[in-house]
């Protein structure tokens, strides 16, 4: 009698067992793979939450720091309402700082929690209101009014005129006032120009179109404008207001001032004493270092200028072309001590 049917059943049973084992193995592998994928996904989500939290903390720290600096700028310490040019310049800087703060918030909002976004929006609204109020206080709008003169008011006696009129300026005083409106140095090449306190104290000084020149201003000017200079060395005593620099190349400038504004300038070193802030725009490859000018009348010129000698923000440089608050601007750096100029 043949055993083939029995053998076939055994073989068939073995094949069935193998198939079942294979199916079970595949299911186990699929389940294990699914478990691993779930763990990986959970890990990614945890990492993502961690990164988001870190970004949120980074935003908070930097936002609060910049907001505090803006609040400090709104105090307008050392800035007089009467110096309209300086006041307007200062509020330009405030507006630019606020714009950067707004952009920083806009760029970061995607990973901020809702409550933090609401809080930040509220802070920005409050800051904007403070800026507007302070601007009105420091730069009041001029009031215009039409006044009619009565015949009685027009009839003044000689005694009235003598008691109400201002003292008449002498010819010398009038000439000095004209000279002090602006003192100009321009269109020079390869020259050394020196000016003392009798020429420039509290005057506006304009320096323009110079090449390979040395300029020494030993006094306390009101404001200084420097433009179109190349390969020059310019040293200036304490300036009561602002120093404006435009289109300066391959030069060295030493100045004390309330505020420094630099435009379209390249490869220039600034030796600074700034009581407010230095602002650069469309500028590259500049280096900053502390003010080291020294001459016999320097202390008296500091007093005349009204600058605080103990306050120097030479490292606080705002670059209007660099909005990434998390990294420093590549357009300016600190000058190494061994490269600093000593003799002016």
């Amino acid at each position: 009698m043949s055993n083939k049917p029995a053998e076939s059943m055994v073989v068939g049973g073995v094949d069935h067992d193998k198939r079942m084992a294979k199916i079970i193995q595949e299911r186990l592998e699929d389940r294990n793979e699914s478990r691993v994928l779930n763990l990986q996904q959970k890990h990614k989500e945890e990492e993502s939450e961690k990164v988001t939290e870190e970004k949120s903390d980074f935003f908070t720290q930097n936002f609060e720091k910049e907001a505090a600096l803006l609040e400090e700028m709104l105090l307008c310490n050392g800035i007089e309402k009467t110096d309209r040019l300086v006041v307007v310049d200062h509020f330009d800087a405030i507006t630019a700082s606020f714009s950067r703060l707004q952009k920083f918030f806009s760029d970061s909002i995607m990973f901020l929690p809702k409550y933090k976004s609401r809080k930040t929006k509220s802070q920005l609204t409050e800051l904007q209101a403070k800026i507007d109020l302070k601007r009105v206080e420091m730069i009041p709008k001029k009031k215009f009014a039409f006044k009619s003169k009565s015949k009685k008011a027009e009839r003044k006696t000689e005694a009235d005129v003598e008691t109400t009129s201002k003292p008449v300026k002498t010819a010398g005083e009038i000439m000095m006032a004209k000279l002090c409106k602006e003192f100009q140095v321009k269109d020079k090449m390869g020259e050394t120009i020196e000016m003392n306190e009798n020429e420039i104290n509290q005057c506006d000084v304009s320096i323009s179109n110079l090449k390979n020149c040395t300029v020494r201003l030993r006094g306390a000017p009101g404001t200084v404008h420097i433009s179109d200079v190349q390969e020059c060395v310019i040293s200036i005593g304490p300036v009561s207001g602002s120093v404006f620099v435009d289109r300066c190349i391959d030069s060295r400038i030493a100045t004390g001032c309330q505020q420094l504004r630099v435009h379209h300038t390249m490869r220039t070193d600034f030796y600074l004493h700034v009581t407010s802030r230095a602002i650069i725009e469309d500028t590259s490859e500049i280096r900053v270092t502390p003010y080291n000018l020294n001459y016999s009348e320097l202390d008296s010129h500091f007093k005349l200028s009204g600058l605080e000698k103990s306050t120097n923000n030479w490292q606080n440089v705002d670059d209007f072309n660099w909005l990434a608050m998390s990294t420093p601007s590549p357009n300016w750096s600190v000058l190494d001590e061994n490269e600093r100029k000593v003799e002016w």
Side-chain angles (χ1 to χ4, degrees):
M1 190 172 186
S2 175
N3 292 329
K4 286 184 179 180
E7 290 176 0
S8 296
M9 289 179 64
V10 171
V11 171
V14 172
D15 290 343
H16 177 266
D17 289 344
K18 285 182 178 180
R19 284 197 300 271
M20 290 302 295
K22 186 177 180 182
I23 290 170
I24 292 170
Q25 180 67 28
E26 288 175 351
R27 286 179 180 176
L28 287 172
E29 289 176 355
D30 288 344
R31 188 179 298 174
N32 185 60
E33 185 178 351
S34 178
R35 186 177 64 84
V36 170
L37 288 173
N38 286 334
L39 286 173
Q40 288 177 344
Q41 181 63 30
K42 188 177 180 181
H43 179 70
K44 284 181 181 179
E45 288 174 359
E46 288 175 351
E47 285 295 314
S48 179
E49 287 177 6
K50 185 179 179 182
V51 169
T52 299
E53 191 174 326
E54 288 175 353
K55 286 182 177 179
S56 179
D57 290 343
F58 172 81
F59 169 82
T60 301
Q61 291 171 5
N62 282 274
F63 183 89
E64 294 297 336
K65 180 182 176 182
E66 293 300 319
L69 287 172
L70 197 52
E71 293 271 12
E72 187 179 341
M73 292 175 75
L74 281 171
L75 296 174
C76 297
N77 290 330
I79 296 177
E80 299 293 334
K81 291 183 185 179
T82 52
D83 197 340
R84 190 176 178 85
L85 185 65
V86 171
V87 173
V88 170
D89 216 36
H90 185 66
F91 273 89
D92 284 347
I94 288 174
T95 300
S97 294
F98 184 73
S99 296
R100 289 201 303 277
L101 206 56
Q102 284 180 312
K103 188 178 187 304
F104 183 43
F105 171 60
S106 299
D107 292 344
S108 308
I109 197 169
M110 66 183 70
F111 55 76
L112 293 179
K114 288 183 178 180
Y115 78 91
K116 190 167 287 188
S117 293
R118 288 195 297 270
K119 180 183 177 183
T120 305
K121 284 179 182 177
S122 178
Q123 284 178 282
L124 287 169
T125 302
E126 187 179 341
L127 266 174
Q128 182 67 72
K130 287 182 179 180
I131 291 170
D132 292 341
L133 283 172
K134 196 67 176 181
R135 191 193 301 274
V136 171
E137 177 191 335
M138 297 296 290
I139 315 175
K141 293 182 179 179
K142 294 181 179 180
K143 296 180 180 179
F144 295 92
F146 293 96
K147 296 181 181 179
S148 59
K149 293 183 180 180
S150 64
K151 289 183 180 180
K152 186 177 180 181
E154 289 177 352
R155 293 169 186 164
K156 292 185 179 180
T157 63
E158 290 183 7
D160 291 331
V161 173
E162 287 177 5
T163 55
T164 59
S165 61
K166 294 180 181 179
V168 177
K169 289 184 178 180
T170 66
E173 288 173 331
I174 293 171
M175 181 60 69
M176 183 58 70
K178 288 180 179 179
L179 285 173
C180 282
K181 188 175 182 181
E182 185 174 65
F183 194 103
Q184 293 187 346
V185 179
K186 62 179 183 178
D187 304 329
K188 306 285 185 184
M189 181 180 288
E191 295 186 27
T192 296
I193 302 103
E194 297 187 3
M195 288 174 277
N196 60 39
E197 58 188 357
N198 296 326
E199 298 170 287
I200 62 172
N201 270 0
Q202 300 305 293
C203 296
D204 292 345
V205 179
S206 173
I207 301 170
S208 62
N209 196 26
L210 305 186
K211 185 173 182 180
N212 194 26
C213 289
T214 297
V215 180
R216 300 188 183 101
L217 306 185
R218 299 298 182 262
T223 59
V224 176
H225 295 257
I226 302 171
S227 61
D228 299 298
V229 300
Q230 186 175 351
E231 298 173 9
C232 291
V233 176
I234 302 172
S235 55
I236 309 167
V239 180
S240 300
S242 297
V243 174
F244 303 90
V245 180
D246 194 14
R247 299 182 300 278
C248 179
I249 301 174
D250 298 320
S251 297
R252 292 178 177 180
I253 298 174
T255 182
C257 57
Q258 197 170 80
Q259 190 177 81
L260 174 73
R261 294 293 297 268
V262 182
H263 298 270
H264 311 104
T265 292
M266 296 175 60
R267 299 185 300 276
T268 295
D269 296 340
F270 288 89
Y271 294 68
L272 300 177
H273 184 103
V274 186
T275 56
S276 179
R277 298 179 79 82
I279 297 170
I280 65 174
E281 189 171 13
D282 300 322
T283 291
S284 62
E285 297 180 71
I286 71 163
R287 300 183 296 181
V288 297
T289 191
Y291 187 65
N292 64 353
L293 187 61
N294 190 24
Y295 57 95
S296 57
E297 301 89 0
L298 183 63
D299 287 339
S300 65
H301 291 162
F302 258 106
K303 289 179 182 177
L304 179 60
S305 70
L307 298 181
E308 288 288 338
K309 198 171 182 181
S310 59
T311 302
N312 188 4
N313 300 314
W314 64 274
Q315 277 184 293
N316 292 341
V317 180
D318 286 336
D319 185 352
F320 281 10
N321 294 111
W322 188 254
L323 301 176
M325 300 174 72
S326 58
T327 54
S329 166
N331 296 318
W332 69 275
S333 61
V334 174
L335 179 63
D336 290 338
E337 287 189 33
N338 58 358
E339 294 184 62
R340 293 174 185 173
K341 183 175 176 62
V342 179
E343 297 294 330
W344 292 93

